[in-house]
Amino acid sequence: MTPPIIRTATASDEAPAIAVVVLAFSADPAARWTWPDPHQYLMHFPNLVKALGGNAFAHESAYYVDGYSGAALWLPPEVRPDEDALITLLQRTGSASVQKDLFAVFEQMGRYHPQEPHWYLPFIGIDPSQQGKGHGAALMKHALIPCDRDNMLAYLESSNPKNIPFYEQHGFELLGTIQAGASPPIFPMLRKPRATSPASP
């Protein structure tokens, strides 16, 4: 099998990269709890992706598998999600019951988020028709190179328990469980940098 080719996304890649994330999260427990109606999900989830991970495109830390079969949006240290856009979106589109629990969930997420500089992964996703081909592993390994090189933490929240073993394989450790009211559980995970081997002379 040919190894996947990972590319850094530019502005022209933003729409197709977000589209594959939307496909990948179409059965995600937290995403579909927020928007259980298919039409509402397809209308609003792309805006959630932009609010949480869109700043990756401007900082050259959004990556995709050649052909857009997968994408990962990483935020470098000191780069944050667009929290104002996120809150506005959820207040405008979420039901009152979802809103109540959702903001409690975000409050808990804030407690787990590292205070020291770190790379944050809001989204990594593979087109369901392309899963099982090593695309996710290739995306993850590519993005973790600078984390290890610069001795930097990496952090994510897994919104699907099925994905926890995948993250653990790449060095992430489970910190706890985030859950409020009727929300599905979300799992904060932290990865400490791994020592890199010195270059051969």
Side-chain angles (χ1 to χ4, degrees):
M1 188 185 298
T2 307
I5 297 171
I6 307 301
R7 302 191 185 279
T8 300
T10 63
S12 63
D13 302 304
E14 182 170 342
I18 288 175
V20 75
V21 172
V22 173
L23 275 178
F25 277 75
S26 62
D28 179 79
R32 300 314 302 276
W33 169 69
T34 307
W35 294 291
D37 176 81
H39 179 62
Q40 294 289 314
Y41 170 76
L42 290 174
M43 256 204 327
H44 300 307
F45 192 72
N47 294 324
L48 180 81
V49 176
K50 288 179 189 176
L52 270 176
N55 285 335
F57 294 100
H59 290 84
E60 299 184 342
S61 54
Y63 311 112
Y64 67 95
V65 180
D66 196 29
Y68 304 108
S69 54
L73 309 184
W74 285 86
L75 297 184
E78 313 307 330
V79 176
R80 299 181 60 82
D82 187 341
E83 293 175 359
D84 290 342
L86 181 65
I87 290 169
T88 299
L89 172 68
L90 295 171
Q91 287 179 334
R92 183 172 54 83
T93 66
S95 68
S97 60
V98 166
Q99 276 186 40
K100 177 174 70 72
D101 294 335
L102 202 55
F103 289 108
V105 167
F106 281 135
E107 186 179 341
Q108 291 182 39
M109 287 168 71
R111 293 182 208 149
Y112 281 104
H113 222 101
Q115 297 304 306
E116 57 265 56
H118 63 282
W119 284 85
Y120 174 49
L121 176 62
F123 295 104
I124 182 170
I126 307 300
D127 183 338
S129 71
Q130 299 296 318
Q131 290 178 359
K133 299 181 179 180
H135 295 334
L139 278 168
M140 185 63 81
K141 287 175 184 174
H142 181 82
L144 291 176
I145 291 170
C147 297
D148 292 337
R149 181 193 64 214
D150 301 333
N151 198 37
M152 197 75 67
L153 294 171
Y155 175 77
L156 60 85
E157 295 108 356
S158 177
S159 50
N160 191 332
K162 294 178 181 177
N163 295 333
I164 290 174
F166 168 78
Y167 296 128
E168 289 177 334
Q169 287 171 10
H170 293 277
F172 286 86
E173 298 177 9
L174 187 61
L175 300 180
T177 303
I178 295 166
Q179 200 273 329
S183 77
I186 294 172
F187 305 94
M189 304 187 74
L190 184 70
R191 182 186 184 274
K192 296 175 183 175
R194 294 176 173 176
T196 54
S197 302
S200 301

